[in-house]
Amino acid sequence: EYKGITKLIEVKVRAASFSEFAYFSDEEAPTGEEIWWTKKDSVWGPFHTNDVLRVSKHPYFNGPSTSHGGSLIYQSDAAADEPVIVGDYNPGLTISLPIDGVSGLSTKASGAGGYVFSGHPEVFLEFAGDSLKYKFNAADAYTTVLGSDLSTSGIIYVENGNLRLQGTVKGKWSVGTNKSVYLDDDIVYNDVPDFTDKNDPSNDLLGILSKEN
């Protein structure tokens, strides 16, 4: 209080979310095959790996932050391979992963509004705006449903089967499996969020969890 005037300042603090990252990995060679980021690759949004970052021919990372836990490895040398990094660069940073993410997703998918695929070695899931397409074999035709009819909560889980993804995401979705996830084609947002604008109106957000990769 100063001269009879009182001001109240409220500060809201929240924990950081993994959904804030455009890309996050714990390992860059989870199945023994190394991931190399090349001139064809660009990441728009926060990037982090707890592993080494392997680069070739100047891949592009557009922040606001880029970080990795291990060393920066060039395929040839810095002159030929050094990445273009816009925003903060934090090498040597390790971020601990939650240990119960997949089991937590399974529990929520099994609850009201979620959906669980079970009994299939693979599930092919394509986001198509307001709709979702799914099938269980590559040669099959897709079954198309309204996304909210399949899962009102936006949570989908594949039990004991691989999940293969592609398409255009509209709305908020969390998908995962206790096996592996593969990206068969591009995954894009219907309304691409502007990560530089805290008031961006886009509601599109996709979280992907897998246990084995």
Side-chain angles (χ1 to χ4, degrees), residues 14-96:
R14 64 176 178 84
S17 169
F18 284 96
S19 65
E20 295 176 1
F21 289 92
Y23 178 91
F24 188 105
S25 76
D26 195 43
E27 300 178 40
E28 289 291 280
T31 61
E33 186 174 348
E34 297 175 344
I35 295 175
W36 283 89
W37 296 85
T38 74
K39 63 180 180 180
K40 295 181 180 180
D41 298 316
S42 61
V43 179
W44 295 78
F47 173 100
H48 179 80
T49 176
N50 284 328
D51 204 350
V52 300
L53 179 58
R54 301 177 182 88
V55 294
S56 173
K57 299 180 181 178
H58 315 299
Y60 183 78
F61 300 90
N62 190 319
S65 64
T66 299
S67 54
H68 53 92
S71 57
L72 182 64
I73 298 177
Y74 303 120
Q75 189 173 45
S76 298
D77 54 42
D81 301 321
E82 188 169 19
V84 177
I85 297 176
V86 179
D88 295 335
Y89 175 52
N90 300 294
L93 176 65
T94 300
I95 300 175
S96 297

Side-chain angles (χ1 to χ4, degrees), residues 19 167-171 187-193 202 204-207:
S19 65
T168 301
V169 176
K170 184 176 182 181
I187 295 179
V188 298
Y189 289 129
N190 181 72
D191 182 9
V192 179
S202 174
D204 299 342
L205 186 65
L206 175 65

